[in-house]
Amino acid sequence: MRCSCYEIGGDVFSLAELQCCIIRGKMSPAVSAKPPYVEEPKGSQGHRFYALGIADTRTNFILNNGDQSCPQSVPILTPEDLESQLTEASCIWMKRQLSVDSPKNTVTLPKVCEVYRNDFGQGDLTSCLMYCLKFLDAKKQKEIVDLINNEATVNVVMKYQPICDT
């Protein structure tokens, strides 16, 4: 992500700078990023001038880092439909990436929720899960809520997916 460069407005950007400084510019930095996730390149503060004006956590669900958990295609977003496109892409992605194993009392969150956990409320597993719930269908939402609220459940295990290599 740091080898190919693109010239935009007379400035040169690596893919890592585009992702970290422009698209994710107003969002929290990666926490302990390991490939394929990247951290902001050192000395890239000048590119912040181009950073998107708002931070939208749903952006985490459309960026593609090249691992198997990423979307298989890159969505083309339009200003007119941005809200609905981000929500739809988040719902589709979350349906594939968040899993529940009720017999084992386990909820597995997407790896991106760990890497960028400070984008999701308090940065803990519960905050991430609460954020992700709104992108799940009613059946999966109920399954998770029932699992958490079940008094017979001794301990609900919440964890993150491992990194999937390509």
Side-chain angles (χ1 to χ4, degrees):
M1 286 190 73
R2 292 188 172 106
C3 296
S4 298
C5 294
Y6 299 87
E7 185 176 341
I8 302 170
D11 290 310
V12 178
F13 298 89
S14 69
L15 287 174
E17 289 170 323
L18 287 172
Q19 177 181 330
C20 297
C21 303
I22 310 302
I23 298 171
R24 291 190 44 79
K26 303 274 187 204
M27 299 169 78
S28 66
V31 176
S32 302
K34 292 179 177 66
Y37 296 94
V38 295
E39 293 180 318
E40 177 180 313
K42 304 219 182 314
S44 291
Q45 294 299 320
H47 293 98
R48 294 265 180 215
F49 172 76
Y50 295 99
L52 295 179
I54 59 164
D56 191 321
T57 304
R58 296 173 296 176
T59 303
N60 289 306
F61 307 135
I62 61 167
L63 291 175
N64 192 319
N65 295 312
D67 76 354
Q68 291 178 347
S69 69
C70 290
Q72 293 180 349
S73 60
V74 177
I76 297 174
L77 306 173
T78 60
E80 310 80 50
D81 300 318
L82 185 61
E83 278 299 311
S84 63
Q85 289 172 321
L86 283 172
T87 298
E88 181 181 355
S90 298
C91 290
I92 291 168
W93 192 80
M94 198 59 62
K95 182 178 181 178
R96 287 184 42 226
Q97 297 300 316
L98 191 144
S99 63
V100 181
D101 186 343
S102 293
K104 292 184 179 179
N105 300 327
T106 303
V107 177
T108 305
L109 291 163
K111 185 67 175 178
V112 72
C113 291
E114 178 180 21
V115 175
Y116 297 113
R117 62 180 164 254
N118 293 322
D119 289 343
F120 304 95
Q122 301 300 313
D124 60 302
L125 274 160
T126 303
S127 296
C128 291
L129 179 59
M130 292 297 117
Y131 181 85
C132 294
L133 272 177
K134 62 185 163 191
F135 301 111
L136 300 172
D137 60 51
K139 181 181 175 189
K140 197 172 250 186
Q141 284 180 0
K142 182 178 180 342
E143 185 178 8
I144 292 169
V145 170
D146 289 349
L147 185 65
I148 291 170
N149 291 334
N150 186 349
E151 292 179 16
T153 304
V154 176
N155 194 12
V156 175
V157 176
M158 292 191 292
K159 61 183 184 177
Y160 298 109
Q161 292 175 347
I163 290 179
C164 298
D165 296 328
T166 54

